Amino acid sequence: MMVTSILYLDKRRSRVLLDQETALVLYPADLRQFHIEEGRELSEESYRLLVETVLRPRAWERTLRALQVSDKTEKELRELLHREGYPKEAIREAVTRAEHYHYIDDRAYGLRYVEYRRGKKSQRQLRTEMQKKGFAKELVEELLEAYPVDEKEQVRLLLEKKGFHPGDALDGKQYSRLAGMLARKGYPYAIITEVLGCPSAFFD
């Protein structure tokens, strides 16, 4: 494997590119130990030794630190380790170990996520956020069906914060402003109109 380039990220870390495709983040001691220099060949044996003795243990330690801070989906953990310069072999082992010990569990995490946020987020907001975080689409739909969002009550509470109560007369401008705010939060038009009613200006 050819060491294509070495980019010094800071005083402690370097980004090493191998064969124009594999990017690793290494420390000065790693470079010295494995004789890694720009334009020099890194043997397959040295690469395997680097992964086995340095990067796999380091990826596992990073995984544990990351999960102590917050829950993560499998996708989020993979992306984190990839961004921080761990090779696919180290990432695969770290994720497998985390799943084995139930340190990551998308179903359990998804359940907690829905239970905590379904009182504050519209169903569309929850669906979008969860898919962005890497929850499988099928799991998201299953959880949202099992733990439905009371969007009508959420809309009422949001309107009360704006000083509006169901039955209050609204002119066209007020109606448009409130309806637009609710639509941007992902609430269905049918629920918006049901709670807001018709603006008084429509009867002028």
Side-chain angles (χ1 to χ4, degrees):
M1 305 178 76
M2 178 60 67
V3 180
T4 308
S5 66
I6 299 178
L7 174 65
Y8 296 96
L9 301 175
D10 52 41
K11 292 181 179 180
R12 299 179 63 246
R13 301 175 304 145
S14 300
R15 182 179 181 273
V16 177
L17 186 63
L18 302 175
D19 288 344
Q20 296 283 7
E21 57 182 25
T22 302
L24 309 175
V25 174
L26 301 174
Y27 293 90
D30 304 327
L31 301 181
R32 292 192 298 270
Q33 179 182 353
F34 293 93
H35 309 290
I36 296 173
E37 299 175 7
E38 190 169 317
R40 182 172 180 170
E41 191 78 17
L42 179 68
S43 69
E44 289 291 340
E45 182 181 354
S46 293
Y47 175 76
R48 286 195 297 271
L49 190 62
L50 171 64
V51 172
E52 290 292 335
T53 63
V54 176
L55 296 178
R56 279 184 170 169
R58 196 175 288 166
W60 179 237
E61 291 174 4
R62 182 66 183 97
T63 294
L64 295 178
R65 291 199 307 273
L67 294 174
Q68 285 177 343
V69 174
S70 64
D71 285 327
K72 287 186 173 43
T73 62
E74 178 186 331
K75 178 184 177 183
E76 287 178 315
L77 179 56
R78 287 184 182 277
E79 290 178 344
L80 170 68
L81 294 174
H82 177 72
R83 284 196 308 271
E84 297 195 359
Y86 293 99
K88 59 185 179 181
E89 302 96 327
I91 294 173
R92 182 168 56 246
E93 180 176 301
V95 170
T96 299
R97 289 182 70 183
E99 288 176 331
H100 175 74
Y101 292 115
H102 300 287
Y103 294 162
I104 57 171
D105 183 332
D106 282 6
R107 177 173 293 277
Y109 178 24
L111 176 58
R112 292 193 298 273
Y113 196 93
V114 170
E115 286 185 324
Y116 182 73
R117 290 167 177 79
R118 70 191 183 102
K120 304 174 184 178
K121 302 277 187 177
S122 69
Q123 184 163 294
R124 192 174 81 182
Q125 282 179 312
L126 274 175
R127 181 181 290 110
T128 299
E129 288 179 3
M130 292 181 74
Q131 290 181 358
K132 186 176 180 180
K133 289 179 72 65
F135 291 104
K137 182 178 180 181
E138 297 76 12
L139 176 60
V140 172
E141 296 305 323
E142 177 188 330
L143 291 173
L144 290 178
E145 182 177 350
Y147 300 91
V149 176
D150 189 348
E151 294 184 311
K152 192 181 296 185
E153 180 62 19
Q154 287 183 16
V155 167
R156 288 197 182 98
L157 291 174
L158 284 169
L159 292 174
E160 286 179 2
K161 289 181 180 179
K162 297 291 182 180
F164 168 77
H165 299 277
D168 290 354
L170 294 173
D171 60 30
K173 186 175 181 180
Q174 291 173 316
Y175 183 92
S176 296
R177 178 174 58 81
L178 291 172
M181 178 269 293
L182 294 168
R184 287 190 294 274
K185 290 182 178 294
Y187 294 102
Y189 181 72
I191 289 179
I192 294 173
T193 54
E194 180 182 349
V195 178
L196 279 177
C198 274
S200 56
F202 285 7
F203 297 99
D204 293 343

